[in-house]
Amino acid sequence: MRKIVVGITGASGSIYAIDLLEKLKSIPDVETHVVISSWAKENIKLETDYELKDVLALADVVYNSKNLGAAIASGSFKTDGMVIVPASMKTVAALSIGYTDNLITRAADVVLKEQRKLILVPRETPLSAIHLENLTKLARLGVHIIPPIPAFYNKPQSLADIITHQSMKILDSLGIEHNFGKRWEGE
């Protein structure tokens, strides 16, 4: 069983996290450990038609974002990686300086120190020089930065197609086999 931690922060774009969780739920050998910040809960209400209880039901294990004693706060709890989707610039900044005042940043810090796979889906535009410096610093540490930038070679027909493509890129980075999304097959 592969254990994947998903942190959902208060940046706009909670639908990306929901889509990823739906896809992970359909993969039998993946167990998800989910942390949702208080602002992410607000964004789920503001940006989607999902009820929080329905999003929580997509997770195998749910943690309170203030619980720094949770299993995922320790390197001795083995995971196969973590995705922060969407990743707020506050979270990116905290990670870039090792500031871990909540379970999302603590779990990510653990993933970094244990040299496991960490993926950030930063959701901000335009990006300031500070944002870019923080993201660059994390990329140099091996963090995969996968911003939600739509591709059009796959001729998306709906917003769902664009969101699925983002989930495809995240699952690919995690090394999880799947058949979601339309891939480039050449000319």
Side-chain angles (χ1 to χ4, degrees), residues 4-6 8 17-18 20-22 24-25 30-36 52-63:
I4 305 297
V5 179
V6 178
I8 308 173
I18 294 167
L20 179 64
L21 287 172
E22 287 174 338
L24 287 169
K25 184 83 169 169
V30 172
E31 178 181 277
T32 55
H33 294 254
V34 177
V35 186
I36 305 175
L52 181 60
K53 66 179 176 60
D54 298 322
V55 176
L56 296 174
L58 295 170
D60 293 299
V61 182
V62 177
Y63 302 94

Side-chain angles (χ1 to χ4, degrees), residues 3-7 20-21 24 31-35 63 72 77 79-84 103-104 107-108 111 117-119 174:
K3 294 178 182 171
I4 305 297
V5 179
V6 178
L20 179 64
L21 287 172
L24 287 169
E31 178 181 277
T32 55
H33 294 254
V34 177
V35 186
Y63 302 94
I72 60 173
F77 184 79
T79 66
D80 296 286
M82 180 174 183
V83 181
I84 302 178
L103 186 55
I104 293 173
V111 168
K117 173 89 57 165
L118 179 59
I119 300 168
L174 286 168

Side-chain angles (χ1 to χ4, degrees), residues 54-121:
D54 298 322
V55 176
L56 296 174
L58 295 170
D60 293 299
V61 182
V62 177
Y63 302 94
N64 182 304
S65 64
K66 295 177 183 171
N67 182 6
L68 294 177
I72 60 173
S74 172
S76 66
F77 184 79
K78 293 212 170 221
T79 66
D80 296 286
M82 180 174 183
V83 181
I84 302 178
V85 53
S88 68
M89 288 302 115
K90 175 185 175 186
T91 300
V92 169
L95 291 173
S96 76
I97 61 168
Y99 182 67
T100 61
D101 69 335
N102 63 58
L103 186 55
I104 293 173
T105 54
R106 173 58 190 165
D109 189 60
V110 165
V111 168
L112 280 172
K113 79 178 183 71
E114 298 294 330
Q115 298 183 351
R116 297 176 186 149
K117 173 89 57 165
L118 179 59
I119 300 168
L120 299 180
V121 181

Side-chain angles (χ1 to χ4, degrees), residues 147-165:
I149 299 171
F152 295 99
Y153 63 80
N154 57 0
K155 298 189 175 152
Q157 301 298 303
S158 66
L159 185 56
D161 290 345
I162 291 170
I163 294 166
T164 292
H165 185 80

